Structures are given as C-alpha cells and as structure tokens.
Amino acid sequence: MSDTITLTLNPTAAAPIPAEPELEAAKMDETILTPEEQKVVDEFSKQIDINDTNLVLQYGAAAQQKIAGFSENALNSVRTKDLGEVGDMITDLVTELKGFDINEDEGGFFSFLKRGANKIAGLKARYDKAEVNVNRIVSALDAHQIQLLKDIATLDQMYELNLKYFKELSMYILAGKKKLKEAREVELAALVAKAKASGLPEDAQKANDFDAMCTRFEKKLYDLELTRTISLQMAPQIRLVQNNDTLMAEKIQSTLVNTIPLWKSQMVIAMGLTHSQQAMEAQKAVTDMTNELLRKNSEALKTATIATAKESERGIVDLETLQKTNEDLISTLDEVVRIQQEGKEKRRAAEVELHRIENEMKAKLLDIKNL
C-alpha cells in the first residue's frame, strides 16, 4: 500500500512508515511490526519525555483525531445509503413483468391467431405500454448500480485507510509502553534508590512525582488502546456495509442481464408464432405448429417465472454473513472487556505498590527526624 503512517510527538510533524494490510485483534507486541517499523518504534520511544506534561497530554492525539474524523465519515456513508429504494424498484419491476399477460384476451394467447391482425396490434400496444414502465425502472436501477459500484470502491479505500490508522495507533502504543517500561525499571528505580540513600525529602518527592507522571502516561496509553479498539471494530463494519452494496449490485445486474431480456424474448416468441400461423395453409400444419410452440413457450414462461420468484424471495444479506460478522463483533467485545479488566488490575496493583512506597518513605522520614 502506498500510503504512509506518521508517528510524531508534535501533531503537525510527520515521519513515513509503510502500513500492513492486516488487523491484529488480540496480539499487541512488536511481532505485528516489520523490522523497519520496529526500528522506528525503538527510535521514537527514545524521544518520549515522560516528565513533559504537555507531551503526555498530546501523545497520540493526532492519530486519535484521525480515527474520530474517519468514524464520522464512515457513519455518513452508511446514513446516506437507502438500499430499500433499490429493493422497492426491483419489486416494482417484477410486478410490472408479471402484470403483462400475453393470455389476457379471452380464449388464451393462441386464440388471437385466428382473429386477424387487430389482435396482433392489441398485443403490441400492451407491450409498448409495459415497456415504457420497464425502461423507466431499468434506467433508475442502472443509475443505482453505478452508484453502488462507486460506493464499493470508496469503502475499499476507507478499509485501507482504517488499516493505516490502526497500525499507526499500534505503533504509538508500543513505543509508549517501551518507554514506560524503561522509565519505571531504570529512571524511577534510580530515583527511589537515591531517595533511600540520601534520606532527603526532596529526593523522595522527585521519585514520587516521576512515578505519578508514569501513571499519567500509562493512562494515556490506555486511552489510545480504547481508540485502537474503535478502529478495530470499524473494519468488520465497513466490510458489512460493502457486502450489502455488493449483494444489491449483483441483484441489479442479474435483473438487467437476465430477467429483462427473458421477458422481451417472450414478445419475440409471441410475434414469431403469429407470423408463422399466418403463413400456414393447412389446418393440420397450424395445429401441429401451435402445439409445439405452446409447449416451448410454456417451458420458457415457467423458467422465467421460477427465476423471478427465486430472485424476489432472496434476502439482501445471507444469514451466514450476518452470523460471521456477529461472531467477529462479539469476539471483539470480549477482547475489549478482557483488556479493560487487565488495565484495571494493573492500575490497582500499582496503587497498592505506591501506597506501600509512600508508607515506607514516611516511616523513613520519621526515623530520620528521630535521629
């Protein structure tokens, strides 16, 4: 994919990184990155200063804004779509075709063969009237199909863009976690050791302040993970809308290339039978030809009616598709709950540890004062 991902401590800056065309739902480590991306994450994590309050506040904000704007655009795409109108048009078309009955005259279709050219003219007049309505509906369906094909292409672009944003957020989170781990294991540990060694209140306060900044940064990363989950959920939703468009476009295509030509062929058959009968001189030949053409026409009519009925009874979305998308979304929600629970447990453990550290420091300070 030619689009690039940007990681920046300043929302207006940019650094290009190639995106991967795949979402990782549960796995959240550097194995989801290419070697080049891992290198970028390593270098970027070194630029993060947890002591910078503004940096912590703005960290990943640009990526979050992209997801927010992208979600709004996706919502507008779904909100402005009215597939019900297309379904109504197809239903109207089927009704119009069924309403044109070549056996309308008393005595059946072949009865007019014996009654002259006036019956042929009547059939043509009824066909012409029905054709006007059919052509009007066909033109509207053709326009809808063109729009649906454009929408399908647009949704493909949206899906790829969502992949890019998803990867960008993942890289921000991984870089942040890498920096947070280093800060707590190295910098915080050093500050705590210094405070214990010196016994000075200012050293203890520095350690406590830095630990508080680490906690703030951890919460910021958790906020980015929530945004990443939103991006994750957008992927199946985009595909669901795109699949609906595809199914409707295919149904329109089938109507235009199968149902309409088959209906028009019935008129050709009817007129051909009429002209053949007029050329017949012997009653036996007329009877034989009539029986043969009636059988063929009946079979063709049966095929057309069955095909039309099957198409009209089909749903817009297959049940299997809805089951699959529902399973995916449920799985995603379960994973979100698990991640949130883990985050809560980690923060609770951190709070307990912070309380213990504070008590130890207070006890130490009291011992110093008693000396």
Side-chain angles (χ1 to χ4, degrees), residues 13 15 62 100 161 210 220 246 316 329:
F100 180 78
L161 190 60
F210 187 75
K220 182 63 179 180
T246 301
I316 294 177
L329 288 176

Side-chain angles (χ1 to χ4, degrees), residues 61-101:
Q64 288 182 301
Q65 290 173 358
K66 291 177 183 178
I67 293 295
F70 176 80
S71 299
E72 181 64 23
N73 291 336
L75 177 61
N76 290 334
S77 176
V78 176
R79 188 166 50 200
T80 57
K81 195 180 304 299
D82 185 9
L83 295 182
E85 181 181 357
V86 179
D88 291 341
M89 286 185 179
I90 293 178
T91 300
D92 292 343
L93 179 61
V94 172
T95 301
E96 188 68 40
L97 299 185
K98 288 183 176 181
F100 180 78
D101 184 8

Side-chain angles (χ1 to χ4, degrees), residues 19-293:
E20 284 291 307
E22 185 173 329
L23 296 182
E24 295 285 346
K27 189 162 62 174
M28 185 59 186
D29 55 51
E30 293 190 2
T31 60
I32 71 173
L33 304 179
T34 64
E36 293 79 9
E37 291 170 345
Q38 291 178 12
K39 182 178 179 182
V40 170
V41 168
D42 289 340
E43 294 177 353
F44 184 75
S45 67
K46 297 175 183 178
Q47 303 174 34
I48 301 173
D49 183 6
I50 295 181
N51 286 307
D52 188 338
T53 302
N54 187 60
L55 183 147
V56 172
L57 180 63
Q58 295 296 325
Y59 187 78
Q64 288 182 301
Q65 290 173 358
K66 291 177 183 178
I67 293 295
F70 176 80
S71 299
E72 181 64 23
N73 291 336
L75 177 61
N76 290 334
S77 176
V78 176
R79 188 166 50 200
T80 57
K81 195 180 304 299
D82 185 9
L83 295 182
E85 181 181 357
V86 179
D88 291 341
M89 286 185 179
I90 293 178
T91 300
D92 292 343
L93 179 61
V94 172
T95 301
E96 188 68 40
L97 299 185
K98 288 183 176 181
F100 180 78
D101 184 8
I102 59 178
N103 296 318
E104 184 176 301
D105 292 326
E106 184 179 354
F109 169 66
F110 288 102
S111 65
F112 81 90
L113 298 178
K114 301 178 181 179
R115 284 181 258 175
N118 60 321
K119 297 298 182 181
I120 299 176
L123 178 61
K124 287 181 178 179
R126 288 191 291 112
Y127 174 82
D128 291 342
K129 180 180 178 181
E131 188 179 33
V132 171
N133 293 331
V134 170
N135 288 339
R136 174 181 57 80
I137 298 175
V138 167
S139 296
L141 287 175
D142 190 57
H144 275 289
Q145 185 185 34
I146 293 174
Q147 185 59 50
L148 285 171
L149 293 177
K150 291 180 180 179
D151 290 346
I152 291 170
T154 299
L155 288 168
D156 267 331
Q157 296 174 358
M158 293 176 65
Y159 186 84
E160 294 300 320
L161 190 60
N162 186 57
L163 286 175
K164 176 184 174 183
Y165 293 159
F166 180 85
K167 176 57 74 66
E168 182 178 347
L169 277 169
S170 299
M171 294 175 70
Y172 271 114
I173 295 168
L174 288 171
K177 287 185 174 181
K178 190 178 186 69
K179 181 62 179 181
L180 183 62
K181 184 175 184 293
E182 178 186 346
R184 282 177 167 164
E185 293 179 354
V186 179
E187 297 178 56
L188 180 59
L191 290 173
V192 171
K194 181 180 178 181
K196 289 181 178 179
S198 68
L200 297 175
E202 55 267 31
D203 289 340
Q205 187 61 49
K206 286 182 180 179
N208 187 58
D209 289 346
F210 187 75
D211 184 67
M213 290 300 297
C214 288
T215 301
R216 283 189 57 200
F217 190 59
E218 180 185 20
K219 291 179 179 179
K220 182 63 179 180
L221 294 180
Y222 175 71
D223 192 37
L224 291 180
E225 288 183 339
L226 292 179
T227 305
R228 180 179 180 268
T229 300
I230 294 174
S231 177
L232 179 65
Q233 291 176 339
M234 284 298 299
Q237 292 170 355
I238 290 172
R239 286 306 191 208
L240 177 60
V241 175
Q242 188 180 45
N243 187 58
N244 290 344
D245 288 353
T246 301
L247 290 174
M248 186 55 69
E250 290 174 351
K251 182 163 288 190
I252 292 175
Q253 180 72 8
S254 177
T255 300
L256 297 179
V257 302
N258 293 323
T259 306
I260 301 302
L262 184 59
W263 176 73
K264 290 184 176 181
S265 71
Q266 298 307 298
M267 185 61 190
V268 175
I269 293 174
M271 296 305 299
L273 293 175
T274 302
H275 295 154
S276 296
Q277 190 277 339
Q278 291 176 342
M280 295 298 178
E281 297 180 355
Q283 182 61 40
K284 184 179 182 303
V286 172
T287 302
D288 293 341
M289 180 61 70
T290 299
N291 290 333
E292 180 181 354
L293 293 176

Side-chain angles (χ1 to χ4, degrees), residues 312-332:
S312 66
E313 291 297 326
R314 286 188 60 190
I316 294 177
V317 181
D318 291 336
L319 179 60
E320 292 78 6
T321 300
L322 291 176
Q323 291 173 338
K324 180 62 172 62
T325 55
N326 190 59
E327 290 173 0
D328 290 345
L329 288 176
I330 290 174
S331 176
T332 299

